[in-house]
Amino acid sequence: MTGTTASRDGRVRVAVIGGGRNCEHEVSLATAASVRSALDPARYDVLALTIGRDGLWQDASGQPLAATAAGSVSAALALLAGCDVAFPAVHGPYGEDGTLAALLDLADVPYVGSGVRGGALAMDKWATKLVAEAVGVAVAPGLLVTADDADQVVFDGPVVVKPVAAGSSHGVSLVTRASELAPALAEALRLDERVLVEQLVVGREVDLAVLRRADGGLTVGPPLEIVLDDGRLFDTEQKYDGGARFLIPAPLTVDEHDQLAEASLAVFTALGCRGVARCDFFLTAAGPVLNEVNTMPGMTAQSQVPKMFARQGLSYPELLDELVRGALRTHGASAGERILA
């Protein structure tokens, strides 16, 4: 493949990219650090790259590769050209939304995770809803709101307000009174120019992860149920303060499990996802209702997706290995043929 060479000692050279120019910067740093430490050093030679909050790409010591964003991207591409594969561990806008995938596609560097289309569609919660509905997966009724029409939204019952393209539940509010609606919209619009106002869905919060393994087959991990205090959202605080409890596998009937698994596979395929994606649902009396899809979910050893697959017998290092080998196979890299031999 053009522009890439494996390490001289025979290991596959992997560029792990962390950070990012968005509100999930710190979470992405944690994911990248965890991925770097868990990749088997006997098989992988890891290059650390970080995107600063200012958009400057940095080396392993935290030093900018150049004085400008454009210059640092150019320098980063020169380093990426010497790698067999990239592992973009950047959550949220300017990363998970297809931005990094586009850069790596143009540079002809194989990479872990969804491509431009899958990343962009899944990051856009409104587009995700439209795609899900088109393949028969239920979603919460809702409105798309911008700053131009925010003052026209009428409160007619409990709703959830969220930015269309933000992660880690930043800017998400549960609105139970009319007086709370305008502040919630303002907070969400601070992070995104488009906002969703969705009817509150009452149900169990159950997540499933879909993995395209290195051999090309699709696997759905054990379902995970998020247990919270009554009336609380799984918001940013709950995600990172340890207040939520995870049940793996979630206690489901065979029919409930099958409905969730089928919906996950349908959405993963329709969005064009690659690598691994986490599909978040509300399990209601009427069946599953899709909440959102994450194409670069939290990927530390303690994150939800690695915990799901560990319960299935696939350890964290093995999961990362599947993702890297899958990326190499997808892109037809000669290094992929060697590592799979």
Side-chain angles (χ1 to χ4, degrees):
M1 193 193 69
T2 303
T4 61
T5 54
S7 298
R8 291 179 181 176
D9 58 9
R11 294 180 296 167
V12 171
R13 189 157 174 77
V14 184
V16 179
I17 307 169
R21 193 173 49 170
N22 60 54
C23 58
E24 294 189 80
H25 180 87
E26 294 298 329
V27 178
S28 298
L29 290 179
T31 291
S34 185
V35 169
R36 291 196 304 267
S37 65
L39 286 170
D40 183 357
R43 307 184 73 178
Y44 298 111
D45 175 25
V46 177
L47 169 69
L49 290 172
T50 300
I51 303 172
R53 293 182 184 276
D54 56 3
L56 296 180
W57 288 60
Q58 305 166 2
D59 62 19
S61 65
Q63 294 300 308
L65 298 178
T68 66
S72 69
V73 169
S74 178
L77 287 173
L79 294 173
L80 288 165
C83 295
D84 296 304
V85 62
F87 197 123
V90 178
H91 309 295
Y94 301 105
E96 187 178 354
D97 59 358
T99 307
L100 271 179
L103 179 70
L104 294 166
D105 276 335
L106 290 170
D108 200 21
V109 177
Y111 56 90
V112 169
S114 291
V116 177
R117 178 182 58 188
L121 285 174
M123 191 73 198
D124 188 309
K125 296 179 177 65
W126 179 249
T128 298
K129 288 165 70 76
L130 297 177
V131 172
E133 285 185 303
V135 295
V137 177
V139 298
L143 299 171
L144 182 65
V145 178
T146 67
D148 292 335
D149 54 16
D151 60 350
Q152 300 173 30
V153 180
V154 177
F155 178 79
D156 59 359
V159 293
V160 175
V161 176
K162 62 179 74 170
V164 165
S168 293
S169 296
H170 289 287
V172 178
S173 302
L174 171 61
V175 176
T176 58
R177 296 191 297 271
S179 61
E180 301 169 340
L181 182 58
L185 287 169
E187 175 61 19
L189 286 166
R190 189 177 64 81
L191 297 175
D192 196 336
E193 61 187 14
R194 297 156 68 235
V195 168
L196 279 176
V197 179
E198 295 182 333
Q199 291 182 17
L200 179 65
V201 176
V202 178
R204 297 162 61 190
E205 294 195 43
V206 181
D207 299 346
L208 284 85
V210 180
L211 169 67
R212 187 171 293 282
R213 302 192 72 135
D215 63 7
L218 289 176
T219 297
V220 180
L224 175 150
E225 182 170 3
I226 301 166
V227 181
L228 301 168
D229 295 335
D230 289 344
R232 297 199 64 178
L233 286 179
F234 189 43
D235 56 16
T236 303
E237 180 182 355
Q238 290 282 301
K239 285 182 178 179
Y240 301 115
D241 71 358
R245 290 189 297 118
F246 298 150
L247 300 180
I248 312 173
L252 303 172
T253 67
V254 172
D255 186 54
E256 289 170 339
H257 177 275
D258 290 348
Q259 288 184 54
L260 286 162
E262 289 172 10
S264 297
L265 288 168
V267 172
F268 184 97
T269 302
L271 291 173
C273 298
R274 295 203 304 255
V276 69
R278 196 190 71 230
C279 302
D280 301 347
F281 293 91
F282 297 107
L283 183 58
T284 72
V289 176
L290 180 70
N291 183 27
E292 63 180 36
V293 176
N294 290 274
T295 56
M296 178 42 67
M299 201 57 71
T300 71
Q302 300 307 311
S303 299
Q304 290 163 256
V305 168
K307 281 179 174 287
M308 293 182 204
F309 285 109
R311 187 68 173 78
Q312 198 176 57
L314 189 68
S315 71
Y316 180 50
E318 289 171 335
L319 173 61
L320 299 179
D321 185 64
E322 287 280 350
L323 290 169
V324 173
R325 292 192 298 134
L328 289 167
R329 181 184 290 277
T330 297
H331 288 77
S334 59
E337 298 300 323
R338 182 182 64 255
I339 196 172
L340 291 166

